[in-house]
Amino acid sequence: MTLALPAAMPVGAACPIVATTVSHFRHDRQRVAMPHVEAQVVVRFGPALPGGVDVHAMGPGRRVLRKFIRAGHRAILVRLRPGTYHAALGVPAANLSGHPIALDDLWGHTRTQRLLEQLAGEPDARAAATLLERAIKERTDCATLVGATPRFLHKALQSLQTSGVTTVAHELGVSERHLRRVLQQTLGVGPKTYARLKRFARAVHAAQSGRGIHWSAIAADAGYYDQAHLIADFRSIAGTTPQLLLAELRDSEQAAHVENDQVRFPVLR
Protein backbone atom coordinates (compact mmCIF):
# COMPACT_ATOMS: atom_id res chain seq x y z
CA MET A 1 0.00 0.00 0.00
CA THR A 2 1.30 3.46 -0.87
CA LEU A 3 0.18 6.37 1.30
CA ALA A 4 0.97 9.98 0.39
CA LEU A 5 0.74 11.40 3.87
CA PRO A 6 0.26 14.93 5.13
CA ALA A 7 3.42 16.22 6.76
CA ALA A 8 3.51 15.87 10.55
CA MET A 9 4.42 19.53 10.96
CA PRO A 10 2.78 22.60 9.36
CA VAL A 11 3.77 22.94 5.71
CA GLY A 12 4.90 26.45 4.92
CA ALA A 13 7.41 28.16 2.67
CA ALA A 14 10.31 27.08 4.85
CA CYS A 15 9.16 23.57 5.80
CA PRO A 16 11.74 21.11 4.50
CA ILE A 17 9.18 18.48 3.43
CA VAL A 18 7.17 18.52 0.20
CA ALA A 19 5.50 15.11 0.53
CA THR A 20 5.78 11.80 2.36
CA THR A 21 4.90 8.45 0.79
CA VAL A 22 4.60 5.08 2.52
CA SER A 23 4.67 1.91 0.38
CA HIS A 24 3.96 -1.68 1.37
CA PHE A 25 4.80 -4.26 -1.30
CA ARG A 26 2.62 -7.26 -0.49
CA HIS A 27 3.62 -9.19 -3.63
CA ASP A 28 6.64 -9.39 -5.92
CA ARG A 29 6.33 -6.77 -8.61
CA GLN A 30 8.15 -4.46 -10.98
CA ARG A 31 8.08 -0.82 -9.90
CA VAL A 32 8.40 1.92 -12.51
CA ALA A 33 9.06 5.36 -11.02
CA MET A 34 9.07 8.76 -12.66
CA PRO A 35 12.04 11.03 -11.90
CA HIS A 36 11.54 13.74 -9.26
CA VAL A 37 13.46 17.01 -9.18
CA GLU A 38 13.46 16.99 -5.36
CA ALA A 39 16.03 15.22 -3.20
CA GLN A 40 14.64 12.37 -1.13
CA VAL A 41 15.22 10.56 2.15
CA VAL A 42 14.27 6.88 1.86
CA VAL A 43 13.74 4.29 4.60
CA ARG A 44 13.48 0.63 3.61
CA PHE A 45 12.14 -2.20 5.75
CA GLY A 46 12.84 -5.81 4.78
CA PRO A 47 14.06 -9.14 6.17
CA ALA A 48 17.25 -9.08 4.07
CA LEU A 49 18.42 -5.70 5.45
CA PRO A 50 20.77 -5.46 8.47
CA GLY A 51 18.51 -4.98 11.47
CA GLY A 52 15.54 -5.10 9.11
CA VAL A 53 15.81 -1.41 8.15
CA ASP A 54 18.12 1.06 6.43
CA VAL A 55 17.96 4.73 5.44
CA HIS A 56 19.61 6.74 2.70
CA ALA A 57 19.31 10.00 0.77
CA MET A 58 19.18 10.57 -2.96
CA GLY A 59 19.57 13.67 -5.09
CA PRO A 60 17.22 14.64 -7.92
CA GLY A 61 16.44 11.81 -10.32
CA ARG A 62 17.14 12.32 -14.00
CA ARG A 63 15.88 9.02 -15.41
CA VAL A 64 12.87 6.75 -15.09
CA LEU A 65 13.73 4.03 -12.56
CA ARG A 66 12.76 0.38 -12.89
CA LYS A 67 13.21 -1.96 -9.96
CA PHE A 68 11.95 -5.41 -9.07
CA ILE A 69 10.80 -5.44 -5.44
CA ARG A 70 10.24 -8.58 -3.39
CA ALA A 71 7.07 -9.14 -1.39
CA GLY A 72 7.13 -8.11 2.25
CA HIS A 73 9.19 -4.96 1.82
CA ARG A 74 8.05 -1.52 2.98
CA ALA A 75 9.43 1.91 2.22
CA ILE A 76 9.00 5.49 3.42
CA LEU A 77 10.00 8.23 1.00
CA VAL A 78 10.24 11.88 2.02
CA ARG A 79 10.72 14.46 -0.74
CA LEU A 80 12.56 17.58 0.39
CA ARG A 81 11.77 21.14 -0.55
CA PRO A 82 14.30 22.80 -2.88
CA GLY A 83 16.48 25.18 -0.90
CA THR A 84 16.41 23.03 2.26
CA TYR A 85 18.75 20.19 1.28
CA HIS A 86 21.85 21.55 3.00
CA ALA A 87 19.99 22.19 6.25
CA ALA A 88 18.22 18.81 6.19
CA LEU A 89 21.11 16.62 5.02
CA GLY A 90 24.23 18.57 5.92
CA VAL A 91 25.65 18.85 2.40
CA PRO A 92 24.96 21.21 -0.53
CA ALA A 93 22.54 20.03 -3.17
CA ALA A 94 25.40 19.91 -5.68
CA ASN A 95 27.00 17.12 -3.59
CA LEU A 96 23.97 14.87 -3.94
CA SER A 97 23.79 12.51 -6.87
CA GLY A 98 21.17 10.15 -8.22
CA HIS A 99 22.58 7.13 -6.40
CA PRO A 100 21.86 6.38 -2.72
CA ILE A 101 24.03 7.95 -0.02
CA ALA A 102 23.85 6.27 3.40
CA LEU A 103 22.43 8.64 5.97
CA ASP A 104 25.33 7.59 8.22
CA ASP A 105 27.62 9.52 5.86
CA LEU A 106 25.48 12.65 6.13
CA TRP A 107 24.18 12.72 9.71
CA GLY A 108 26.83 10.65 11.44
CA HIS A 109 26.56 7.20 13.01
CA THR A 110 25.08 8.15 16.40
CA ARG A 111 22.16 10.22 15.12
CA THR A 112 21.40 7.78 12.30
CA GLN A 113 21.55 4.75 14.58
CA ARG A 114 19.11 6.36 17.00
CA LEU A 115 16.68 6.99 14.14
CA LEU A 116 17.04 3.40 12.86
CA GLU A 117 16.31 1.98 16.30
CA GLN A 118 13.19 4.12 16.58
CA LEU A 119 12.00 3.09 13.11
CA ALA A 120 12.71 -0.60 13.70
CA GLY A 121 10.62 -0.48 16.87
CA GLU A 122 7.60 1.15 15.20
CA PRO A 123 5.32 -1.31 13.36
CA ASP A 124 2.79 1.34 12.29
CA ALA A 125 3.67 2.87 8.92
CA ARG A 126 2.19 6.29 9.59
CA ALA A 127 3.88 6.54 12.97
CA ALA A 128 7.20 5.53 11.41
CA ALA A 129 6.74 8.21 8.73
CA THR A 130 6.11 10.79 11.46
CA LEU A 131 9.32 9.74 13.22
CA LEU A 132 11.27 10.29 10.01
CA GLU A 133 9.65 13.67 9.35
CA ARG A 134 10.41 14.84 12.87
CA ALA A 135 14.02 13.70 12.61
CA ILE A 136 14.42 15.72 9.41
CA LYS A 137 12.69 18.72 10.96
CA GLU A 138 15.08 18.61 13.91
CA ARG A 139 17.92 19.06 11.43
CA THR A 140 16.47 22.27 10.11
CA ASP A 141 15.64 25.66 11.50
CA CYS A 142 12.81 27.36 9.65
CA ALA A 143 14.07 30.87 10.39
CA THR A 144 17.51 29.93 9.05
CA LEU A 145 15.99 28.31 6.00
CA VAL A 146 14.07 31.45 5.07
CA GLY A 147 17.25 33.51 5.21
CA ALA A 148 19.37 30.94 3.40
CA THR A 149 17.00 30.38 0.48
CA PRO A 150 17.03 33.08 -2.21
CA ARG A 151 13.72 34.92 -2.23
CA PHE A 152 13.32 34.45 -5.96
CA LEU A 153 13.83 30.64 -5.93
CA HIS A 154 10.13 29.69 -5.95
CA LYS A 155 9.33 32.16 -8.73
CA ALA A 156 12.35 30.97 -10.72
CA LEU A 157 11.25 27.34 -10.48
CA GLN A 158 7.75 28.24 -11.61
CA SER A 159 8.90 30.42 -14.50
CA LEU A 160 11.51 27.97 -15.78
CA GLN A 161 8.75 25.49 -16.55
CA THR A 162 7.51 27.68 -19.39
CA SER A 163 10.32 30.16 -20.16
CA GLY A 164 14.00 29.95 -21.05
CA VAL A 165 16.92 30.77 -18.76
CA THR A 166 17.60 34.13 -20.41
CA THR A 167 13.97 35.26 -20.08
CA VAL A 168 13.64 34.12 -16.46
CA ALA A 169 16.93 35.73 -15.41
CA HIS A 170 15.83 39.01 -17.00
CA GLU A 171 12.42 38.86 -15.25
CA LEU A 172 14.12 38.23 -11.90
CA GLY A 173 16.73 40.94 -12.41
CA VAL A 174 19.69 38.57 -12.00
CA SER A 175 22.37 37.31 -14.36
CA GLU A 176 22.03 33.95 -16.08
CA ARG A 177 25.22 32.85 -14.36
CA HIS A 178 23.79 33.70 -10.94
CA LEU A 179 20.53 31.88 -11.71
CA ARG A 180 22.41 28.74 -12.77
CA ARG A 181 24.59 28.88 -9.65
CA VAL A 182 21.59 29.27 -7.35
CA LEU A 183 19.81 26.26 -8.86
CA GLN A 184 22.92 24.10 -8.66
CA GLN A 185 23.38 25.06 -5.00
CA THR A 186 19.75 24.69 -3.93
CA LEU A 187 18.40 21.99 -6.25
CA GLY A 188 21.41 20.04 -7.48
CA VAL A 189 20.58 20.47 -11.18
CA GLY A 190 20.85 23.38 -13.59
CA PRO A 191 17.93 25.36 -15.06
CA LYS A 192 17.86 23.42 -18.33
CA THR A 193 17.77 20.03 -16.62
CA TYR A 194 15.07 21.22 -14.24
CA ALA A 195 12.95 22.56 -17.12
CA ARG A 196 13.49 19.37 -19.12
CA LEU A 197 12.31 17.09 -16.29
CA LYS A 198 9.26 19.25 -15.65
CA ARG A 199 8.41 19.26 -19.37
CA PHE A 200 8.74 15.47 -19.48
CA ALA A 201 6.47 15.13 -16.44
CA ARG A 202 3.85 17.40 -18.04
CA ALA A 203 3.84 15.29 -21.21
CA VAL A 204 3.45 12.02 -19.30
CA HIS A 205 0.68 13.47 -17.14
CA ALA A 206 -1.18 14.79 -20.19
CA ALA A 207 -0.92 11.43 -21.95
CA GLN A 208 -2.17 9.60 -18.85
CA SER A 209 -5.05 12.04 -18.33
CA GLY A 210 -6.46 12.14 -21.87
CA ARG A 211 -8.81 9.58 -23.38
CA GLY A 212 -7.35 9.97 -26.83
CA ILE A 213 -3.59 10.45 -27.09
CA HIS A 214 -2.47 12.96 -29.71
CA TRP A 215 1.29 13.21 -29.31
CA SER A 216 1.71 16.26 -31.53
CA ALA A 217 -0.76 18.24 -29.38
CA ILE A 218 0.80 16.93 -26.16
CA ALA A 219 4.25 17.93 -27.41
CA ALA A 220 3.11 21.47 -28.17
CA ASP A 221 1.24 21.89 -24.88
CA ALA A 222 4.13 20.51 -22.82
CA GLY A 223 6.64 22.88 -24.40
CA TYR A 224 8.45 20.68 -26.94
CA TYR A 225 9.49 22.01 -30.33
CA ASP A 226 7.64 19.17 -32.06
CA GLN A 227 6.73 15.50 -31.70
CA ALA A 228 10.21 14.37 -32.71
CA HIS A 229 11.68 16.45 -29.86
CA LEU A 230 9.26 14.76 -27.42
CA ILE A 231 10.17 11.27 -28.65
CA ALA A 232 13.88 12.01 -28.31
CA ASP A 233 13.38 13.20 -24.74
CA PHE A 234 11.40 10.08 -23.84
CA ARG A 235 14.15 7.87 -25.21
CA SER A 236 16.77 9.79 -23.24
CA ILE A 237 14.90 10.00 -19.91
CA ALA A 238 12.85 6.78 -20.02
CA GLY A 239 14.96 4.66 -22.35
CA THR A 240 11.95 3.78 -24.46
CA THR A 241 9.18 5.22 -26.63
CA PRO A 242 6.27 7.26 -25.24
CA GLN A 243 3.78 4.46 -25.94
CA LEU A 244 5.88 1.80 -24.21
CA LEU A 245 6.52 3.99 -21.18
CA LEU A 246 2.80 4.65 -20.75
CA ALA A 247 2.17 0.90 -20.94
CA GLU A 248 4.84 0.27 -18.28
CA LEU A 249 3.42 2.92 -15.96
CA ARG A 250 -0.12 1.64 -16.49
CA ASP A 251 0.88 -1.96 -15.74
CA SER A 252 2.79 -0.89 -12.62
CA GLU A 253 -0.12 1.19 -11.34
CA GLN A 254 -2.69 -1.49 -12.12
CA ALA A 255 -0.66 -4.13 -10.27
CA ALA A 256 -0.44 -1.85 -7.26
CA HIS A 257 -4.17 -1.08 -7.40
CA VAL A 258 -5.20 -4.74 -7.71
CA GLU A 259 -3.02 -5.60 -4.71
CA ASN A 260 -4.29 -2.56 -2.78
CA ASP A 261 -0.68 -1.33 -2.72
CA GLN A 262 -1.39 2.29 -3.64
CA VAL A 263 -3.58 4.70 -1.68
CA ARG A 264 -2.78 8.41 -1.97
CA PHE A 265 -3.71 11.32 0.26
CA PRO A 266 -3.20 15.05 -0.44
CA VAL A 267 -0.51 16.91 1.46
CA LEU A 268 -2.07 19.43 3.84
CA ARG A 269 -0.98 23.02 3.21
Side-chain angles (χ1 to χ4, degrees), residues 215-234:
W215 288 110
S216 58
I218 289 173
D221 291 342
Y224 287 97
Y225 295 123
D226 51 28
Q227 187 173 338
H229 184 202
L230 177 147
I231 292 172
D233 233 20
F234 269 68

Side-chain angles (χ1 to χ4, degrees), residues 194-229:
Y194 172 80
R196 184 185 185 213
L197 291 172
K198 284 293 189 179
R199 183 177 59 206
F200 174 74
R202 286 197 301 273
V204 171
H205 178 73
Q208 290 178 316
S209 301
R211 292 187 177 182
I213 300 177
H214 304 285
W215 288 110
S216 58
I218 289 173
D221 291 342
Y224 287 97
Y225 295 123
D226 51 28
Q227 187 173 338
H229 184 202

